[in-house]
Amino acid sequence: MRLSSLFGPAAAELVFLIHLWIPPTQGAAFDPVQLPDINLDQLGRVALTGDFDSISLYTYKQQTQNAFSTNGSQALITQLPNGDYTAAATADAYIKTMCPFVMGNGELAGVVVGGNFTSLGGIETQGVAMYDPNTSQITPLPGLLGKVSAVYCDQDTNTVYVGGDFKGANSTNAVAWVGMAGWQNLPFAGFNGPVDSITKAPNGNIIFGGTFTGLGNTTAPVKKDQQVVNLASAKISSGSTTDENGFNDPKNIVCPTSGQDEAGSSWLLEDKTSGFWRADLNFGFQPTKLRLWNTHQNGRGTKTFRFTALPLNGIMNMTYNDPATGKKTPCDADGARCPLSDNTSLPYQDFEFYNRVGMSAFQIDISDWYGDGAGLNGIELFQDDIYAYAVSDLNEPTCANIKLGSNSTPTGPWTTAPSAQSQSQYLTVDLSTQDVRSAGTSVVFKPNIRQKGNYTVTVYTPGCLQDNSCDRRGIANVTGVFTEGGPPIPPQQIFQTNNFDKYDQIYYGPVDVNTDSFRATVTLAPYTQQDERITLVAQRVRFAPTNYTGGLNGLFEFDPAPGSTLSDFSKSAFDQAGMNLQPEAVVTSLAIMSGISYIGGNFSDTSGNFQNIFSITDGNASSLPNGGLNAQVATFQVFGDLLYIGGNFTNTATGNVSGLNNFAAYDTASQSWLALGSGVRGRVNTIVPLELNITENQPETCITVNGHFDHLEAFGSAPAVPVQGFGVWVPSRQNWLQNLNLTTRTITAKLSTTTNITGSDPLLAGTISSQGVPGAQAAVSLTSKPLRLESLGVKIQPEPVASPKRKRAIGGRNVTGAVTGKFFEKGKLNITVIGGHFTATATNGSTINNLAFINGTGAVSGLGPGIDEDSVFLALETHDDILYAGGTISGNLDNANVNGLILYDLAGGNFAYPQPPALGGDNVAINAITSRPKSGQVYVAGDFDTAGSLGCPSVCIFDNGQWSQPGSGLSGSVAALVWQGNDKLLAGGNITINGNSTRLANYDARNQQWTALDGPDSAVPGPVTALTRADNEGSQFWLAGKSSNGSAFLMKYADSKFQPITKGGRLGDQTTIQGLAMLQLNDDHDKSDVVSRDMVLLITGSLDVPNFGNASAALYDGNTFIPFILSTSGNGPGTLSQLFSSKTINFKSSGGRMKLGFVVLIGLAIALGVTFLLVVAGILIERYRRRAEGYQPAPTQYFDKTANLGRIPPEDLFGRLGQRGSAPML
């Protein structure tokens, strides 16, 4: 929404593709992050979809998902080892200049950083600070008030020269920091106008360029004490006041215009008693003169007094004109007591302050008196600077009868805010987007200009920390009219995100005196190109008079040698060159190349030889070829023999060189102009070099161009390229990077300056968003060996949903970019499908809308004609060779309307015919599609009422070419589906079953019946948007959504209970969860009650992770939320929609639970094993017992078989076997 005024009003966002060079360097230490060891083997191919143009894993603690800043803040930027950029220290406004301060002993003291900030790295520091690149520590350099535009670190003199628009020490606009001793005034005490550039000439002298006409110690306002400080609105109090009626009110003496010394006009103390008179004001001021009217009531009066500044409690030294001698006389020796005359012929007496001291209250202590006691008849206080306050009560008092006193006119619902830590009260207003774009809110400041002359006009902005409005502060649009009959100044945008009070100079030049027909005005209003609710503030405007004639004109050469002459400007080629320019010259840029000095800005010489740029060689000012350039030069950048130049020019002064549109180069070797392409279409403000990898592992310096332009101009065969204020020129290719066909990483940036540091990467300043996957936009693959993200090889350009009907259908969800995906692998087919709302370029060069196919060779294709371009694909499923694609889809295929769902033949590469009969309803949207396991049925869910002519709300089945309704009684909007086995389906969303509201419902496919899972008194706090199984059967599952209060919720369902996730912190209120998935780990994490030790939950969406901030994906191990993936999209954070994979995960045992059959089999096996062991044990025990009781084993040798044959002859034994009647006898 907001962007630094350094770059103009456009929100800067050019996304371009670069491969960043990452050289090994020393410098700040970066802390690596140990992510969980994810194992994706079970899932096969894995990918992620979302809305992002840059993405990376969270691998260093210094990484953030903070997007390209458009709120007026910038940062010091360093590069991480993984190639991403990170903010080393964030400022609350812009950073304009830097230099490494290497002291005389060779030691790096730090990098001096200057700009318009009031804090850097969270530390209050006005406009300038020191940054340590090794520790990232910020050291404030206090003492300056204002903005710093130029710094030059001079090792030879151990000095940092600082220039800008500021006050510090006893200098204005230029001062020096010497060694580590601190600020020192330069001998000439600065300049009477701002300094924009500082460099060192070949002779060792320091050259200052800017908008000044004299030295700081040679100029002063012609008229002083021009503004009356408003005491009428102050809180007035007193001590030892008389109780005499009519003289006991200390307010009587404010605005002494009646000329009467009487009751109601004078204030008296008690008789012969000292006392005080005090004023507490609602603003700060620096008085230059006190005017007192003494009372003469009955011979009384004040004889001596002193003036004490509060809250400093300092007694002020003053001088006065002695009525007796007419000479300027100091108050008594120590300045503590000043005399006040009792001469009745003196209407009043003036006392001038010796020093200018800021205060918000003061007290006059009266120590002696005339007659019976002291008193006063009137008091006025004056200051040099002229202010107009937004709060009318702070302007010059109306009771002072000032004809054209300072005042203001607020329009709109402004309210007064207390001064708090600021200098004064101010106005504040909260504006809706509609209010911002209307013309109904403004403050017109009208100063009291009594002297025609040159003024510096400054707008003050109170800091946002004091009123907790930093996240709401917006952009103010400021215009002004300063001369009668003259044009208004161009509108300027002031970003009000400063943490502490700041001021911005909006004008330097002539201002006409107030008359009955004219008075100068400054108008502050909201900048209309803001798309959010904002808070706007208005405080005060200062008109500081400056002297026009000082012998200089935008250039000054300073010899730092002791005893050098400052006043003889004729001896300096630079001073003389400035005086030879037309009056009011503006010098913005200085550069030294091969002993030649180049000066750029907004000027022309008096002889008409050159405009806006010239050189000085051997003491002589010379024109560049063709008379210079035809409009202002804003910036220089030296690279080799080339001087790169940016500004708002379009050609040379004589118009002989084409293609010099706002960005050009001057070849100092050939002394000729070079067109860079054909330039850019709009103003260039800064040019910053950047090391990039244009050829693999071959770093080279490219030139980034930053400003307020919207196209890279066409040249040769290259067409004009639309951009938003950022481009990259590749010198080796003589072309814009945007025109080169390179697959590289993405970056969004707006850079203001850079500086080189020995032993470290270059330090950048500005705002940048860079995440580390080359060519990845809206969809990436995820692998685990090693863990990394990779491009899917398709360049996707997210498209916003423009149709109001589509927006209603998707329920306000952000569905820009890639929303869903599907892998299809069958036989020789290997196709990745990406769906959402985007455009992409097919391999054949054609444009793809919203659904892209990537085959196994990397070829990219899209749908044929027939589907409306504003369709949004939200859900994908495959069955056999058919892709089921659902969403907010409309079109006409084969002369039949389609709505919500289409079928596409992946094998044939064309639409399937016939298509399903169109779904019907007010805002049809298909949010989820799933196939029933071991079945040909495809379940389609979302927000619809009918399928063809069939009443089939919310969930419908497509099978064998026709629709059928699953059960009855279901309505509402279904967002997610998960199968719990083969026959039970879990649906989540904002559902109604038989008239009863619920968030989750079960469908029994066998009984064809819907039942509410969470019941009427739901433990689920809002509609469900995401589901995933937590075990193989789906009896345990994770769910997420938005609560009724708008905050995100995350829960697990197990043991028939819903368990809100609170351990590890709570995701922030701005979180939106779009997807959930369980992932397997190689190494177990700490024990958790909700996540098994070998698993982790992946959460995708737009997340506010506890103790971290914005992320696009996080991992949850049951104990801690761990940032996982960071992404950005244009000027904001990116989002991840969901993870999809070619296979499904197989869960291990969860809490000892198994199917009954497995339990029976395992129990039987255990029983058999135990029986076997008991038998073996019994045998062993029996053998041991017998052995213990003396049993011996039977003999095993053979007996002599013939030894007993003679005892019973065989014939006697067997001979009578055949006889009957008796048994055989032995």
Side-chain angles (χ1 to χ4, degrees), residues 5 21 97 125 137 226 274 282 284 360 366 397 400 539 555 581 620 641 678 699 764 859 895 897 1023 1098 1164:
S5 56
W21 164 241
T97 181
T125 177
Q137 181 178 353
Q226 294 191 69
S274 59
N282 293 316
S360 60
I366 300 173
Q539 187 181 51
L555 279 171
L581 302 176
N620 298 312
D641 291 333
S678 191
L764 299 167
N895 297 318
N897 291 330
L1098 172 70
L1164 179 60

Side-chain angles (χ1 to χ4, degrees), residues 1044-1116:
S1044 55
N1045 63 5
S1047 63
F1049 67 83
L1050 176 65
M1051 309 179 78
K1052 186 180 181 182
Y1053 181 81
D1055 299 325
S1056 301
K1057 293 184 298 184
F1058 291 97
Q1059 181 175 350
I1061 300 303
T1062 57
K1063 190 173 183 180
R1066 191 176 66 86
L1067 294 170
D1069 290 342
Q1070 301 305 313
T1071 292
T1072 298
I1073 298 174
Q1074 297 191 19
L1076 300 171
M1078 294 297 294
L1079 303 178
Q1080 194 170 33
L1081 300 177
N1082 289 317
D1083 299 322
D1084 291 353
H1085 57 69
D1086 292 340
K1087 185 178 179 181
S1088 163
D1089 294 334
V1090 293
V1091 182
S1092 61
R1093 300 186 66 174
D1094 63 337
M1095 303 291 287
V1096 68
L1097 176 67
L1098 172 70
I1099 309 165
T1100 56
S1102 177
L1103 313 179
D1104 183 359
V1105 179
N1107 303 315
F1108 178 77
N1110 292 335
S1112 298
L1115 302 173
Y1116 183 64

Side-chain angles (χ1 to χ4, degrees), residues 204-387:
N205 291 346
I206 304 301
I207 310 302
F208 295 86
T211 311
F212 50 80
T213 59
L215 300 178
N217 59 9
T218 64
T219 59
V222 176
K223 293 182 180 180
K224 300 186 64 175
D225 316 320
Q226 294 191 69
Q227 184 159 38
V228 177
V229 177
N230 190 342
L231 301 180
S233 61
K235 177 184 177 182
I236 307 299
S237 58
S238 62
S240 302
T241 298
T242 183
D243 57 5
E244 184 178 350
N245 191 32
F247 296 95
N248 56 358
D249 188 351
K251 296 180 181 179
N252 287 349
I253 63 174
V254 177
C255 291
T257 58
S258 67
Q260 303 297 316
D261 187 3
E262 58 187 8
S265 299
S266 297
W267 164 77
L268 301 178
L269 290 175
E270 295 177 352
D271 290 350
K272 301 184 183 301
T273 303
S274 59
F276 70 87
W277 188 95
R278 173 169 172 155
D280 289 86
L281 289 78
N282 293 316
F283 58 94
F285 57 96
Q286 289 184 326
T288 55
K289 184 172 69 177
L290 170 70
R291 178 171 290 175
L292 291 177
W293 283 258
N294 209 346
T295 184
H296 305 288
Q297 184 70 214
N298 298 323
R300 304 166 70 100
T302 296
K303 180 180 288 188
T304 60
F305 70 94
R306 71 181 182 188
F307 186 102
T308 303
L310 302 172
L312 302 175
N313 204 32
I315 300 172
M316 301 293 291
N317 294 324
M318 295 187 288
T319 62
Y320 68 101
N321 286 327
D322 190 332
T325 64
K327 295 181 179 180
K328 180 176 285 190
T329 305
C331 294
D332 64 11
D334 60 0
R337 304 292 175 186
C338 292
L340 188 62
S341 174
D342 66 343
N343 188 341
T344 57
S345 64
L346 287 176
Y348 55 79
Q349 199 167 346
D350 288 342
F351 298 84
E352 295 183 356
F353 293 93
Y354 187 78
N355 294 310
R356 295 185 61 173
V357 174
M359 61 192 75
S360 60
F362 67 91
Q363 181 170 303
I364 295 177
D365 295 291
I366 300 173
S367 56
D368 200 0
W369 51 89
Y370 299 105
D372 292 334
L376 292 171
N377 181 236
I379 182 172
E380 277 189 336
L381 208 58
F382 299 84
Q383 61 186 7
D384 280 347
D385 289 342
I386 301 166
Y387 287 94

